[in-house]
Amino acid sequence: MEPLIAMLVIPLALGLASYASPRPRATQALTLGGGLAVLALSALLVAQGTSPRSSMGGLLYLDSLSVVLLAAVAIVYATSSVFAIGYLRSEERAGDFPRYVRSFYSLLNFFAFTLLLVPATDNLGLLWAALELTTIVSALMVGLEGTDSALEAAWKYILIASAGLALALLAVVLLYASGTPSLGSSYQPRWTALLGNADRLQPRTVSLAFLLALIGFGTKAGLVPMHTWLPDAHSEGPTPVSALLSGALLADAMYAVLRFNAIAVRALGPDFSRTLLLVFGFASLLLSALFVLRQHNFKRLLAYSSIEHMGVLAVGTAFGSPLASYGVALHVLTHAATKSMAFYGAGSILRKLKTREIGKVKGLLHIAPATGLLFLAAALALSGLPPFGVFRSEFLILAGGSSRAGGWFVPAALLIALVNLAFLGVFRYTNGMVLGAPPASVRRGEPSRWMMGVALAGDQRP
Amino acid sequence: MPVLVAAGGLAIALVILMQFGLLRSRATSGQTWLYSFESLFVAAFSTIVGLATGNGELYVLAGVTLVAKVALVPWLVFRLTSGLEERVKDEVPLSLGVPSSLISALLLTGIAFAAAVRLPLAGPLLPSSGFAMGLAVVLIGFLFTITRLNTISQLLGILTVENGIFLGTVAIAPGLPLLVGLLILFDVLMAVLVFGVLVRFLAMRHSTVTTSHLKELAG
């Protein structure tokens, strides 16, 4: 438990310190140290083993699934704390730089704190509150640039996510109410307790609770058709925030869906939640693949790719076999590492060429070879090509789906088809950006070594 | 006990009345007052259920609701609107007219009732009608949010959704631990502050709070 408490205290303390600190350099160094420390602590938790344990009456809780999520968040937090140094370099001469750094870093650290809190609790009320806090903090970060489109994206995001989370809160209340006949009129809404007594919960209330949880938390996870805030927020926010939103926040929201799914499966049998997950999962896969194919903005391209990967997670969860569940857990990790790396590449391009238009980026291999190679590798990895980790996790999900007796052949085949469709889109555009002849006016050279080093550090092998 | 049932029913009815009134009201000041009164009646319902069950935590929640949602949040919203021009505040643009809004709200209330009576809900005081009305407030709150083209009104719409959930919670799960209730209220306050920051920035850039210019991002 102690590593977990330290993991929560470090970003919280750094958030306060960043707000108080008058010196940008010190803030950046502290956050860098904090991010790396949290990453080391998450590795320690992985090494400690996976037996479920809780403290403080279930307010803090750890099992293997939450350790996976903590590791995913820690990877993105640590890498973004490195990347941010390079990303903010070009702003250093601006007059309001110290003020910008103050808000940026305090929000970044608070955001990391709320992201780490979500998978670290057994109390569904606290889990909901932590997810709502992630919205509140990250909406400010999305609007941080202060441009018209950034503010519009932030407004859209906080409004839609709050509406979704309101439904999720209703789901928590209904799940609680479904347990009052058997667990007593007043009890702690602990996930382990509800799971243990799932067969004594009122089935009809549980089914409504699961539906609301899937729609509510699914809004945060970017499942279609509740995804409309996601491409805007991901493309308008500062790039380190995009990486955290995509790699860590979406996974946290899916984590909440997974917890509700476990209870629903035990209380209602697997069919009810499986059907719903397949519907939302395939809707997300199909729509994101189509939008990837006709995208002009490379940050939005990555955002739609995130929707696609959340669809993969939903479908994998629906398969439900042990192998598929293992694949889902691994996919959370590989997607976090890969997508954040892709966003770092995108942010690096954005800083170098000052554009988000795919058509205006050409010949990256000549302009900035490291950035170009990195972006290409990230795009290939995201598309699920071997030898990258996403290939392995998607393969496991597919194997888990098709190995079932009676077979999930049609969904599995559909999954392959849609993933490949998205791959086509991502690959087509990145090819054009990385290869080809560069425009003559652009000077060669990498934008910043801080931005490069981190991206390569994201472990890509399974 | 019959007195408490009657009082609880009255409180619920007043909550839904305020929610319908919100659809009638065209000025942000009127909407803010209606939100404040709605929160007051939600707090009253919480107190009445507290009396019926002897659960002291419900008094605490009612008290915090009084301070936070009846007084503090409306005060913050009034402060937020104080610098804005009259035209924007007095005539919120709608994408659905008042009569159509009211008819849609009646339909939504019917749907909420139809859904709630199908659930085997238990509670000490008016569980089914309390939850049904809470659900109706949630749905009407969503309707209000999507048809009122003004950032202040949209904020208030989301806040009434939270009021509806609170009403439903007190009706069917009054034993939900105090800590959870307080966490939710804390989140509401934080959300109001952040919504407020964004409203201020949007108003600074466009000197208006209508959402008509928020349509740059698509696809």
Side-chain angles (χ1 to χ4, degrees), chain A residues 129 146 148 155 176 186 204 300, chain B residues 118 120 154 165 175 187 205 219:
Chain A
D148 283 356
W155 184 257
Y176 181 89
S186 188
R204 206 186 272 256
R300 291 180 84 87
Chain B
R118 278 179 169 70
Q154 291 183 340
I165 296 172
D187 276 13
R205 289 191 78 87

Side-chain angles (χ1 to χ4, degrees), chain B residues 13 34-35 58 97 102-103 132 137 167 171 199 201 205:
Chain B
L34 283 166
Y35 170 74
L58 287 169
L102 288 172
I103 292 168
V137 170
L167 180 68
V199 170
F201 272 109
R205 289 191 78 87

Side-chain angles (χ1 to χ4, degrees), chain B residues 7 24 74 117 123 132 173 175 193:
Chain B
R24 276 280 285 113
V117 294
L193 291 178

Side-chain angles (χ1 to χ4, degrees), chain B residues 115-200:
Chain B
V117 294
R118 278 179 169 70
L119 295 174
L121 297 169
L125 196 74
L126 301 165
S128 278
S129 46
F131 184 73
M133 285 301 108
L135 204 53
V137 170
V138 168
L139 295 175
I140 297 171
F142 282 143
L143 175 74
F144 182 79
T145 309
I146 58 178
T147 56
R148 270 52 188 171
L149 309 177
N150 171 313
T151 47
I152 305 282
S153 303
Q154 291 183 340
L155 163 61
L156 288 169
I158 289 288
L159 286 172
T160 62
V161 166
E162 195 273 332
N163 260 354
I165 296 172
F166 192 80
L167 180 68
T169 308
V170 174
I172 64 168
L176 195 69
L178 181 64
L179 176 74
V180 176
L182 292 178
L183 276 173
I184 294 168
L185 280 168
F186 170 74
D187 276 13
V188 169
L189 272 183
M190 296 299 290
V192 170
L193 291 178
V194 170
F195 267 102
V197 170
L198 289 173
V199 170
R200 277 252 176 242

Side-chain angles (χ1 to χ4, degrees), chain B:
Chain B
M1 202 60 185
V3 181
L4 289 180
V5 173
L10 181 66
I12 295 173
L14 286 168
V15 170
I16 192 84
L17 194 67
M18 295 300 116
Q19 193 71 352
F20 272 86
L22 209 57
L23 291 170
R24 276 280 285 113
S25 165
R26 290 295 299 272
T28 55
S29 57
Q31 293 168 354
T32 313
W33 278 113
L34 283 166
Y35 170 74
S36 174
F37 278 112
E38 186 180 285
S39 309
L40 178 69
F41 298 131
V42 169
F45 184 64
S46 177
T47 313
I48 293 163
V49 176
L51 284 170
T53 57
N55 182 351
E57 294 186 348
L58 287 169
Y59 303 137
V60 180
L61 274 183
V64 178
T65 302
L66 272 181
V67 175
K69 298 201 293 193
V70 178
L72 190 58
V73 170
W75 179 73
L76 285 170
V77 174
F78 274 122
R79 256 188 47 149
L80 202 59
T81 51
S82 61
L84 301 168
E85 43 178 329
E86 294 299 315
R87 185 176 53 83
V88 181
K89 286 190 288 187
D90 292 344
E91 197 75 19
V92 174
L94 319 171
S95 64
L96 186 69
V98 170
S100 316
S101 301
L102 288 172
I103 292 168
S104 314
L106 279 174
L107 286 175
L108 291 175
T109 311
I111 292 170
F113 248 112
V117 294
R118 278 179 169 70
L119 295 174
L121 297 169
L125 196 74
L126 301 165
S128 278
S129 46
F131 184 73
M133 285 301 108
L135 204 53
V137 170
V138 168
L139 295 175
I140 297 171
F142 282 143
L143 175 74
F144 182 79
T145 309
I146 58 178
T147 56
R148 270 52 188 171
L149 309 177
N150 171 313
T151 47
I152 305 282
S153 303
Q154 291 183 340
L155 163 61
L156 288 169
I158 289 288
L159 286 172
T160 62
V161 166
E162 195 273 332
N163 260 354
I165 296 172
F166 192 80
L167 180 68
T169 308
V170 174
I172 64 168
L176 195 69
L178 181 64
L179 176 74
V180 176
L182 292 178
L183 276 173
I184 294 168
L185 280 168
F186 170 74
D187 276 13
V188 169
L189 272 183
M190 296 299 290
V192 170
L193 291 178
V194 170
F195 267 102
V197 170
L198 289 173
V199 170
R200 277 252 176 242
F201 272 109
L202 283 165
M204 254 158 52
R205 289 191 78 87
H206 299 282
S207 66
T208 173
V209 284
T210 59
T211 56
S212 51
H213 54 266
L214 296 182
K215 49 190 173 197
E216 225 173 86
L217 301 168

